[in-house]
């Protein structure tokens, strides 16, 4: 059972006691990502800002309580731009954030909008040098004639300062909108994917990249699918997977060819002809794909389901989980209000035994792969008081029998949606982005999910 980890956190600051604040639409969270240790959590928003939260040390007075996440640093990652050649505005919205494994005292992360990827260094400074020979205390250059003796500069303590500095800018390599970035397990390269191409970058080289996938047809009228997501294998630096709007997954091996247009494996579930409808292709489009931590499985999310695939079985998914099957009768209205094109993300827990993904009405779903139990929980201000226990929610299909506290599918709020989620790499702590609020929940005393 999950309890509220800390008070509601917004992208601007922590909001105490479950109280909220209204922000402009630029503060809508567009990505959430834990670093490799789980001590830092980064969010990006539609206004091009990145907010980093840091986990506080455990309380001495409450040995069983976990440290809360508080704002560590906030910075402007991207600004709105204009492409004069194509007369197009490039919005500042952060599409993805990916942390690099920590190599020294500083942290590094990649952030991207539709066109430009940036590498940022996040470091701390708690000492400042004093006692310069040629500068005064305010930093002004002294008259050399007044210097009568030499002194050794010393480092003196100062208030902790978190500095965020841009180290690299990777630009001008994508014609279409970037939807994914993924750091390779060699920690030297990463890839970026747009609708039709995937590029491989070296972290130290900004002026060129290598095109490793190109599905653009010679005639754009022949275009039948686009790339929706891509990710590197967590252990094998030569393997990566990308998903398509047709619901297929392609596993590629960079050892086979420089251009990986020919995949090594194709994962595709045969379509049931009897279930074919106008919406079939739209709802089968894969919105997210994630390798398991072990590297053995793939987790994908389409509009109605989450699927787990075994890398050794291409013909069908190993497991299929219905996220909100009660919406099948609502597909027509969801198409009219464009909700059917929403792109939900998915996440594994640290042991690959539980998967999580979002839904509407600020609901999010968890599925235990071992027990086959599932739960629907709600991220809301009413249930977000510190240490409050989240109550399972249940949606009743139209015309079905309703129990007490059940929610009718007709009363779901489709403007409230959980698109972005993240799971702590080692612990049962989850981050849920709901519009412009960030909710952090933890598993109470590591009890079983129910």
């Amino acid at each position: 059972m999950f309890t509220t980890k800390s008070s509601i956190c917004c992208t601007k600051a922590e909001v105490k006691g479950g109280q909220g604040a209204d922000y402009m639409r630029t503060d809508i969270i567009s990505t959430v990502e834990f670093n490799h240790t789980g001590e830092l959590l980064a969010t990006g928003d539609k206004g091009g800002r990145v907010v980093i939260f840091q986990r506080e040390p455990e309380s001495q007075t409450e040995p069983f309580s976990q440290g809360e996440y508080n704002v560590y640093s906030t910075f402007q990652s991207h600004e709105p731009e204009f492409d004069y050649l194509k007369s197009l505005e490039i919005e500042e919205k952060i599409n993805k954030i990916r942390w690099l494994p920590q190599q020294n005292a500083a942290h590094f992360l990649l952030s991207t909008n539709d066109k430009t990827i940036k590498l940022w260094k996040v470091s701390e400074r708690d000492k400042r040098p004093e006692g310069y020979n040629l500068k005064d205390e305010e930093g002004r250059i002294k008259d050399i004639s007044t210097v009568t003796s030499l002194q050794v500069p010393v480092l003196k303590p100062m208030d902790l300062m978190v500095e965020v500095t841009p180290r690299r800018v990777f630009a001008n390599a994508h014609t279409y909108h970037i939807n994914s970035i993924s750091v390779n397990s060699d920690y030297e390269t990463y890839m970026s994917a747009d609708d039709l191409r995937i590029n491989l970058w070296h972290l130290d080289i900004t002026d060129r990249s290598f095109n490793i996938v190109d599905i653009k047809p010679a005639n754009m009228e022949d275009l039948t699918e686009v790339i929706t997501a891509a990710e590197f294998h967590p252990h094998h630096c030569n393997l990566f997977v990308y998903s398509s709007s047709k619901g297929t997954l392609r596993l590629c091996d960079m050892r086979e060819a420089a251009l990986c247009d020919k995949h090594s494996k194709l994962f595709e579930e045969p379509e049931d002809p009897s279930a074919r409808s106008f919406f079939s292709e739209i709802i089968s489009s894969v919105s997210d794909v994630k390798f398991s931590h072990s590297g053995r499985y793939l987790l994908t999310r389409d509009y109605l389901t989450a699927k787990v695939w075994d890398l050794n079985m291409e013909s069908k998914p190993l497991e299929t989980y219905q996220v909100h099957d009660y919406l099948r009768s609502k597909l027509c209205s969801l198409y009219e209000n464009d909700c059917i094109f929403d792109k939900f993300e998915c996440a594994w827990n640290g042991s690959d035994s539980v998967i999580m993904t979002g839904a509407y009405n600020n609901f999010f779903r968890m599925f235990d792969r071992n027990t086959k139990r599932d739960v629907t929980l709600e991220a809301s201000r009413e249930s977000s008081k510190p240490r409050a226990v989240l109550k399972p929610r249940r949606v009743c299909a139209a015309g079905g029998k309703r129990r007490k506290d059940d929610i009718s599918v007709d009363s779901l709020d489709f403007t409230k949606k959980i698109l972005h989620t993240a799971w702590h790499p080692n612990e049962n702590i989850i981050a849920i982005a709901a519009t412009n609020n960030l909710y952090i929940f933890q598993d109470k005393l590591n009890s079983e999910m129910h």
Side-chain angles (χ1 to χ4, degrees), residues 303-320:
Y303 190 66
L304 294 178
T305 66
K307 296 173 182 176
V308 175
W309 299 78
D310 189 323
L311 287 188
N312 297 327
M313 186 170 71
E314 304 168 56
S315 58
K316 62 179 180 179
L318 189 66
E319 302 153 17
T320 301

mmCIF file with all atom_site columns, all heavy atoms in Angstrom, residues 303-320:
data_model
loop_
_atom_site.group_PDB
_atom_site.id
_atom_site.type_symbol
_atom_site.label_atom_id
_atom_site.label_alt_id
_atom_site.label_comp_id
_atom_site.label_asym_id
_atom_site.label_entity_id
_atom_site.label_seq_id
_atom_site.pdbx_PDB_ins_code
_atom_site.Cartn_x
_atom_site.Cartn_y
_atom_site.Cartn_z
_atom_site.occupancy
_atom_site.B_iso_or_equiv
_atom_site.pdbx_formal_charge
_atom_site.auth_seq_id
_atom_site.auth_comp_id
_atom_site.auth_asym_id
_atom_site.auth_atom_id
_atom_site.pdbx_PDB_model_num
ATOM 1   N N   . TYR A 1 303 ? -2.561 2.793   -26.042 1.00 0.00 ? 303 TYR A N   1
ATOM 2   C CA  . TYR A 1 303 ? -3.601 3.616   -25.432 1.00 0.00 ? 303 TYR A CA  1
ATOM 3   C C   . TYR A 1 303 ? -4.375 2.881   -24.343 1.00 0.00 ? 303 TYR A C   1
ATOM 4   O O   . TYR A 1 303 ? -4.688 3.472   -23.300 1.00 0.00 ? 303 TYR A O   1
ATOM 5   C CB  . TYR A 1 303 ? -4.572 4.131   -26.512 1.00 0.00 ? 303 TYR A CB  1
ATOM 6   C CG  . TYR A 1 303 ? -5.527 5.178   -25.969 1.00 0.00 ? 303 TYR A CG  1
ATOM 7   C CD1 . TYR A 1 303 ? -5.047 6.407   -25.539 1.00 0.00 ? 303 TYR A CD1 1
ATOM 8   C CD2 . TYR A 1 303 ? -6.888 4.922   -25.861 1.00 0.00 ? 303 TYR A CD2 1
ATOM 9   C CE1 . TYR A 1 303 ? -5.902 7.366   -25.026 1.00 0.00 ? 303 TYR A CE1 1
ATOM 10  C CE2 . TYR A 1 303 ? -7.759 5.879   -25.353 1.00 0.00 ? 303 TYR A CE2 1
ATOM 11  C CZ  . TYR A 1 303 ? -7.259 7.101   -24.929 1.00 0.00 ? 303 TYR A CZ  1
ATOM 12  O OH  . TYR A 1 303 ? -8.099 8.041   -24.410 1.00 0.00 ? 303 TYR A OH  1
ATOM 13  N N   . LEU A 1 304 ? -4.680 1.618   -24.551 1.00 0.00 ? 304 LEU A N   1
ATOM 14  C CA  . LEU A 1 304 ? -5.532 0.898   -23.596 1.00 0.00 ? 304 LEU A CA  1
ATOM 15  C C   . LEU A 1 304 ? -4.790 -0.121  -22.745 1.00 0.00 ? 304 LEU A C   1
ATOM 16  O O   . LEU A 1 304 ? -5.311 -0.549  -21.714 1.00 0.00 ? 304 LEU A O   1
ATOM 17  C CB  . LEU A 1 304 ? -6.682 0.193   -24.338 1.00 0.00 ? 304 LEU A CB  1
ATOM 18  C CG  . LEU A 1 304 ? -7.716 1.083   -25.027 1.00 0.00 ? 304 LEU A CG  1
ATOM 19  C CD1 . LEU A 1 304 ? -8.750 0.227   -25.749 1.00 0.00 ? 304 LEU A CD1 1
ATOM 20  C CD2 . LEU A 1 304 ? -8.400 2.012   -24.031 1.00 0.00 ? 304 LEU A CD2 1
ATOM 21  N N   . THR A 1 305 ? -3.596 -0.542  -23.159 1.00 0.00 ? 305 THR A N   1
ATOM 22  C CA  . THR A 1 305 ? -2.935 -1.648  -22.461 1.00 0.00 ? 305 THR A CA  1
ATOM 23  C C   . THR A 1 305 ? -1.458 -1.351  -22.190 1.00 0.00 ? 305 THR A C   1
ATOM 24  O O   . THR A 1 305 ? -0.856 -0.486  -22.816 1.00 0.00 ? 305 THR A O   1
ATOM 25  C CB  . THR A 1 305 ? -3.018 -2.957  -23.281 1.00 0.00 ? 305 THR A CB  1
ATOM 26  O OG1 . THR A 1 305 ? -2.258 -2.801  -24.490 1.00 0.00 ? 305 THR A OG1 1
ATOM 27  C CG2 . THR A 1 305 ? -4.454 -3.308  -23.616 1.00 0.00 ? 305 THR A CG2 1
ATOM 28  N N   . ALA A 1 306 ? -0.913 -2.104  -21.246 1.00 0.00 ? 306 ALA A N   1
ATOM 29  C CA  . ALA A 1 306 ? 0.531  -2.178  -21.016 1.00 0.00 ? 306 ALA A CA  1
ATOM 30  C C   . ALA A 1 306 ? 0.936  -3.626  -21.280 1.00 0.00 ? 306 ALA A C   1
ATOM 31  O O   . ALA A 1 306 ? 0.240  -4.558  -20.875 1.00 0.00 ? 306 ALA A O   1
ATOM 32  C CB  . ALA A 1 306 ? 0.883  -1.766  -19.591 1.00 0.00 ? 306 ALA A CB  1
ATOM 33  N N   . LYS A 1 307 ? 2.049  -3.816  -21.973 1.00 0.00 ? 307 LYS A N   1
ATOM 34  C CA  . LYS A 1 307 ? 2.470  -5.165  -22.349 1.00 0.00 ? 307 LYS A CA  1
ATOM 35  C C   . LYS A 1 307 ? 3.923  -5.399  -21.954 1.00 0.00 ? 307 LYS A C   1
ATOM 36  O O   . LYS A 1 307 ? 4.756  -4.493  -22.047 1.00 0.00 ? 307 LYS A O   1
ATOM 37  C CB  . LYS A 1 307 ? 2.318  -5.373  -23.862 1.00 0.00 ? 307 LYS A CB  1
ATOM 38  C CG  . LYS A 1 307 ? 0.872  -5.292  -24.342 1.00 0.00 ? 307 LYS A CG  1
ATOM 39  C CD  . LYS A 1 307 ? 0.779  -5.336  -25.859 1.00 0.00 ? 307 LYS A CD  1
ATOM 40  C CE  . LYS A 1 307 ? -0.679 -5.206  -26.319 1.00 0.00 ? 307 LYS A CE  1
ATOM 41  N NZ  . LYS A 1 307 ? -0.789 -5.144  -27.791 1.00 0.00 ? 307 LYS A NZ  1
ATOM 42  N N   . VAL A 1 308 ? 4.192  -6.626  -21.521 1.00 0.00 ? 308 VAL A N   1
ATOM 43  C CA  . VAL A 1 308 ? 5.557  -7.048  -21.228 1.00 0.00 ? 308 VAL A CA  1
ATOM 44  C C   . VAL A 1 308 ? 5.971  -8.061  -22.285 1.00 0.00 ? 308 VAL A C   1
ATOM 45  O O   . VAL A 1 308 ? 5.271  -9.053  -22.516 1.00 0.00 ? 308 VAL A O   1
ATOM 46  C CB  . VAL A 1 308 ? 5.658  -7.668  -19.815 1.00 0.00 ? 308 VAL A CB  1
ATOM 47  C CG1 . VAL A 1 308 ? 7.069  -8.224  -19.577 1.00 0.00 ? 308 VAL A CG1 1
ATOM 48  C CG2 . VAL A 1 308 ? 5.312  -6.639  -18.745 1.00 0.00 ? 308 VAL A CG2 1
ATOM 49  N N   . TRP A 1 309 ? 7.108  -7.798  -22.922 1.00 0.00 ? 309 TRP A N   1
ATOM 50  C CA  . TRP A 1 309 ? 7.623  -8.673  -23.974 1.00 0.00 ? 309 TRP A CA  1
ATOM 51  C C   . TRP A 1 309 ? 8.912  -9.329  -23.498 1.00 0.00 ? 309 TRP A C   1
ATOM 52  O O   . TRP A 1 309 ? 9.740  -8.698  -22.836 1.00 0.00 ? 309 TRP A O   1
ATOM 53  C CB  . TRP A 1 309 ? 7.931  -7.878  -25.248 1.00 0.00 ? 309 TRP A CB  1
ATOM 54  C CG  . TRP A 1 309 ? 6.757  -7.186  -25.858 1.00 0.00 ? 309 TRP A CG  1
ATOM 55  C CD1 . TRP A 1 309 ? 6.184  -6.022  -25.435 1.00 0.00 ? 309 TRP A CD1 1
ATOM 56  C CD2 . TRP A 1 309 ? 6.016  -7.596  -27.014 1.00 0.00 ? 309 TRP A CD2 1
ATOM 57  N NE1 . TRP A 1 309 ? 5.132  -5.682  -26.256 1.00 0.00 ? 309 TRP A NE1 1
ATOM 58  C CE2 . TRP A 1 309 ? 5.000  -6.627  -27.234 1.00 0.00 ? 309 TRP A CE2 1
ATOM 59  C CE3 . TRP A 1 309 ? 6.114  -8.670  -27.890 1.00 0.00 ? 309 TRP A CE3 1
ATOM 60  C CZ2 . TRP A 1 309 ? 4.099  -6.708  -28.279 1.00 0.00 ? 309 TRP A CZ2 1
ATOM 61  C CZ3 . TRP A 1 309 ? 5.214  -8.764  -28.946 1.00 0.00 ? 309 TRP A CZ3 1
ATOM 62  C CH2 . TRP A 1 309 ? 4.216  -7.785  -29.133 1.00 0.00 ? 309 TRP A CH2 1
ATOM 63  N N   . ASP A 1 310 ? 9.087  -10.599 -23.860 1.00 0.00 ? 310 ASP A N   1
ATOM 64  C CA  . ASP A 1 310 ? 10.332 -11.311 -23.615 1.00 0.00 ? 310 ASP A CA  1
ATOM 65  C C   . ASP A 1 310 ? 11.208 -11.164 -24.852 1.00 0.00 ? 310 ASP A C   1
ATOM 66  O O   . ASP A 1 310 ? 10.740 -11.376 -25.975 1.00 0.00 ? 310 ASP A O   1
ATOM 67  C CB  . ASP A 1 310 ? 10.040 -12.789 -23.333 1.00 0.00 ? 310 ASP A CB  1
ATOM 68  C CG  . ASP A 1 310 ? 11.263 -13.558 -22.849 1.00 0.00 ? 310 ASP A CG  1
ATOM 69  O OD1 . ASP A 1 310 ? 12.373 -13.268 -23.341 1.00 0.00 ? 310 ASP A OD1 1
ATOM 70  O OD2 . ASP A 1 310 ? 11.106 -14.452 -22.005 1.00 0.00 ? 310 ASP A OD2 1
ATOM 71  N N   . LEU A 1 311 ? 12.464 -10.774 -24.652 1.00 0.00 ? 311 LEU A N   1
ATOM 72  C CA  . LEU A 1 311 ? 13.341 -10.583 -25.809 1.00 0.00 ? 311 LEU A CA  1
ATOM 73  C C   . LEU A 1 311 ? 13.513 -11.855 -26.635 1.00 0.00 ? 311 LEU A C   1
ATOM 74  O O   . LEU A 1 311 ? 13.890 -11.799 -27.807 1.00 0.00 ? 311 LEU A O   1
ATOM 75  C CB  . LEU A 1 311 ? 14.715 -10.089 -25.357 1.00 0.00 ? 311 LEU A CB  1
ATOM 76  C CG  . LEU A 1 311 ? 14.825 -8.637  -24.874 1.00 0.00 ? 311 LEU A CG  1
ATOM 77  C CD1 . LEU A 1 311 ? 16.273 -8.260  -24.656 1.00 0.00 ? 311 LEU A CD1 1
ATOM 78  C CD2 . LEU A 1 311 ? 14.172 -7.667  -25.840 1.00 0.00 ? 311 LEU A CD2 1
ATOM 79  N N   . ASN A 1 312 ? 13.207 -12.994 -26.021 1.00 0.00 ? 312 ASN A N   1
ATOM 80  C CA  . ASN A 1 312 ? 13.369 -14.268 -26.728 1.00 0.00 ? 312 ASN A CA  1
ATOM 81  C C   . ASN A 1 312 ? 12.078 -14.736 -27.405 1.00 0.00 ? 312 ASN A C   1
ATOM 82  O O   . ASN A 1 312 ? 12.060 -15.824 -27.974 1.00 0.00 ? 312 ASN A O   1
ATOM 83  C CB  . ASN A 1 312 ? 13.850 -15.351 -25.758 1.00 0.00 ? 312 ASN A CB  1
ATOM 84  C CG  . ASN A 1 312 ? 15.222 -15.040 -25.190 1.00 0.00 ? 312 ASN A CG  1
ATOM 85  O OD1 . ASN A 1 312 ? 16.045 -14.445 -25.874 1.00 0.00 ? 312 ASN A OD1 1
ATOM 86  N ND2 . ASN A 1 312 ? 15.458 -15.414 -23.955 1.00 0.00 ? 312 ASN A ND2 1
ATOM 87  N N   . MET A 1 313 ? 11.007 -13.932 -27.322 1.00 0.00 ? 313 MET A N   1
ATOM 88  C CA  . MET A 1 313 ? 9.738  -14.329 -27.941 1.00 0.00 ? 313 MET A CA  1
ATOM 89  C C   . MET A 1 313 ? 9.154  -13.139 -28.693 1.00 0.00 ? 313 MET A C   1
ATOM 90  O O   . MET A 1 313 ? 8.650  -12.195 -28.093 1.00 0.00 ? 313 MET A O   1
ATOM 91  C CB  . MET A 1 313 ? 8.754  -14.840 -26.875 1.00 0.00 ? 313 MET A CB  1
ATOM 92  C CG  . MET A 1 313 ? 7.467  -15.398 -27.472 1.00 0.00 ? 313 MET A CG  1
ATOM 93  S SD  . MET A 1 313 ? 6.427  -16.253 -26.252 1.00 0.00 ? 313 MET A SD  1
ATOM 94  C CE  . MET A 1 313 ? 5.845  -14.875 -25.263 1.00 0.00 ? 313 MET A CE  1
ATOM 95  N N   . GLU A 1 314 ? 9.215  -13.196 -29.998 1.00 0.00 ? 314 GLU A N   1
ATOM 96  C CA  . GLU A 1 314 ? 8.800  -12.068 -30.828 1.00 0.00 ? 314 GLU A CA  1
ATOM 97  C C   . GLU A 1 314 ? 7.328  -12.127 -31.237 1.00 0.00 ? 314 GLU A C   1
ATOM 98  O O   . GLU A 1 314 ? 6.747  -11.107 -31.613 1.00 0.00 ? 314 GLU A O   1
ATOM 99  C CB  . GLU A 1 314 ? 9.641  -12.008 -32.102 1.00 0.00 ? 314 GLU A CB  1
ATOM 100 C CG  . GLU A 1 314 ? 11.128 -11.941 -31.857 1.00 0.00 ? 314 GLU A CG  1
ATOM 101 C CD  . GLU A 1 314 ? 11.927 -12.185 -33.125 1.00 0.00 ? 314 GLU A CD  1
ATOM 102 O OE1 . GLU A 1 314 ? 11.706 -11.456 -34.116 1.00 0.00 ? 314 GLU A OE1 1
ATOM 103 O OE2 . GLU A 1 314 ? 12.758 -13.114 -33.142 1.00 0.00 ? 314 GLU A OE2 1
ATOM 104 N N   . SER A 1 315 ? 6.711  -13.303 -31.163 1.00 0.00 ? 315 SER A N   1
ATOM 105 C CA  . SER A 1 315 ? 5.397  -13.502 -31.777 1.00 0.00 ? 315 SER A CA  1
ATOM 106 C C   . SER A 1 315 ? 4.256  -12.840 -31.016 1.00 0.00 ? 315 SER A C   1
ATOM 107 O O   . SER A 1 315 ? 3.256  -12.437 -31.614 1.00 0.00 ? 315 SER A O   1
ATOM 108 C CB  . SER A 1 315 ? 5.109  -15.002 -31.909 1.00 0.00 ? 315 SER A CB  1
ATOM 109 O OG  . SER A 1 315 ? 5.172  -15.629 -30.635 1.00 0.00 ? 315 SER A OG  1
ATOM 110 N N   . LYS A 1 316 ? 4.389  -12.722 -29.705 1.00 0.00 ? 316 LYS A N   1
ATOM 111 C CA  . LYS A 1 316 ? 3.315  -12.126 -28.912 1.00 0.00 ? 316 LYS A CA  1
ATOM 112 C C   . LYS A 1 316 ? 3.883  -11.673 -27.572 1.00 0.00 ? 316 LYS A C   1
ATOM 113 O O   . LYS A 1 316 ? 4.938  -12.144 -27.137 1.00 0.00 ? 316 LYS A O   1
ATOM 114 C CB  . LYS A 1 316 ? 2.178  -13.126 -28.696 1.00 0.00 ? 316 LYS A CB  1
ATOM 115 C CG  . LYS A 1 316 ? 2.582  -14.366 -27.913 1.00 0.00 ? 316 LYS A CG  1
ATOM 116 C CD  . LYS A 1 316 ? 1.407  -15.297 -27.723 1.00 0.00 ? 316 LYS A CD  1
ATOM 117 C CE  . LYS A 1 316 ? 1.822  -16.542 -26.923 1.00 0.00 ? 316 LYS A CE  1
ATOM 118 N NZ  . LYS A 1 316 ? 0.680  -17.455 -26.707 1.00 0.00 ? 316 LYS A NZ  1
ATOM 119 N N   . PRO A 1 317 ? 3.174  -10.763 -26.890 1.00 0.00 ? 317 PRO A N   1
ATOM 120 C CA  . PRO A 1 317 ? 3.674  -10.316 -25.584 1.00 0.00 ? 317 PRO A CA  1
ATOM 121 C C   . PRO A 1 317 ? 3.565  -11.432 -24.544 1.00 0.00 ? 317 PRO A C   1
ATOM 122 O O   . PRO A 1 317 ? 2.683  -12.286 -24.610 1.00 0.00 ? 317 PRO A O   1
ATOM 123 C CB  . PRO A 1 317 ? 2.776  -9.129  -25.240 1.00 0.00 ? 317 PRO A CB  1
ATOM 124 C CG  . PRO A 1 317 ? 1.542  -9.316  -26.057 1.00 0.00 ? 317 PRO A CG  1
ATOM 125 C CD  . PRO A 1 317 ? 1.975  -10.033 -27.301 1.00 0.00 ? 317 PRO A CD  1
ATOM 126 N N   . LEU A 1 318 ? 4.471  -11.399 -23.599 1.00 0.00 ? 318 LEU A N   1
ATOM 127 C CA  . LEU A 1 318 ? 4.455  -12.367 -22.507 1.00 0.00 ? 318 LEU A CA  1
ATOM 128 C C   . LEU A 1 318 ? 3.274  -12.107 -21.581 1.00 0.00 ? 318 LEU A C   1
ATOM 129 O O   . LEU A 1 318 ? 2.620  -13.034 -21.095 1.00 0.00 ? 318 LEU A O   1
ATOM 130 C CB  . LEU A 1 318 ? 5.770  -12.264 -21.724 1.00 0.00 ? 318 LEU A CB  1
ATOM 131 C CG  . LEU A 1 318 ? 6.056  -13.322 -20.667 1.00 0.00 ? 318 LEU A CG  1
ATOM 132 C CD1 . LEU A 1 318 ? 6.236  -14.689 -21.309 1.00 0.00 ? 318 LEU A CD1 1
ATOM 133 C CD2 . LEU A 1 318 ? 7.305  -12.934 -19.871 1.00 0.00 ? 318 LEU A CD2 1
ATOM 134 N N   . GLU A 1 319 ? 2.992  -10.828 -21.344 1.00 0.00 ? 319 GLU A N   1
ATOM 135 C CA  . GLU A 1 319 ? 1.888  -10.431 -20.469 1.00 0.00 ? 319 GLU A CA  1
ATOM 136 C C   . GLU A 1 319 ? 1.201  -9.201  -21.062 1.00 0.00 ? 319 GLU A C   1
ATOM 137 O O   . GLU A 1 319 ? 1.865  -8.329  -21.623 1.00 0.00 ? 319 GLU A O   1
ATOM 138 C CB  . GLU A 1 319 ? 2.412  -10.099 -19.060 1.00 0.00 ? 319 GLU A CB  1
ATOM 139 C CG  . GLU A 1 319 ? 3.168  -11.226 -18.385 1.00 0.00 ? 319 GLU A CG  1
ATOM 140 C CD  . GLU A 1 319 ? 4.190  -10.712 -17.373 1.00 0.00 ? 319 GLU A CD  1
ATOM 141 O OE1 . GLU A 1 319 ? 4.085  -9.537  -16.959 1.00 0.00 ? 319 GLU A OE1 1
ATOM 142 O OE2 . GLU A 1 319 ? 5.111  -11.476 -17.009 1.00 0.00 ? 319 GLU A OE2 1
ATOM 143 N N   . THR A 1 320 ? -0.112 -9.157  -20.924 1.00 0.00 ? 320 THR A N   1
ATOM 144 C CA  . THR A 1 320 ? -0.890 -7.988  -21.352 1.00 0.00 ? 320 THR A CA  1
ATOM 145 C C   . THR A 1 320 ? -1.774 -7.535  -20.194 1.00 0.00 ? 320 THR A C   1
ATOM 146 O O   . THR A 1 320 ? -2.488 -8.340  -19.595 1.00 0.00 ? 320 THR A O   1
ATOM 147 C CB  . THR A 1 320 ? -1.773 -8.307  -22.575 1.00 0.00 ? 320 THR A CB  1
ATOM 148 O OG1 . THR A 1 320 ? -0.935 -8.732  -23.659 1.00 0.00 ? 320 THR A OG1 1
ATOM 149 C CG2 . THR A 1 320 ? -2.568 -7.088  -23.003 1.00 0.00 ? 320 THR A CG2 1
#
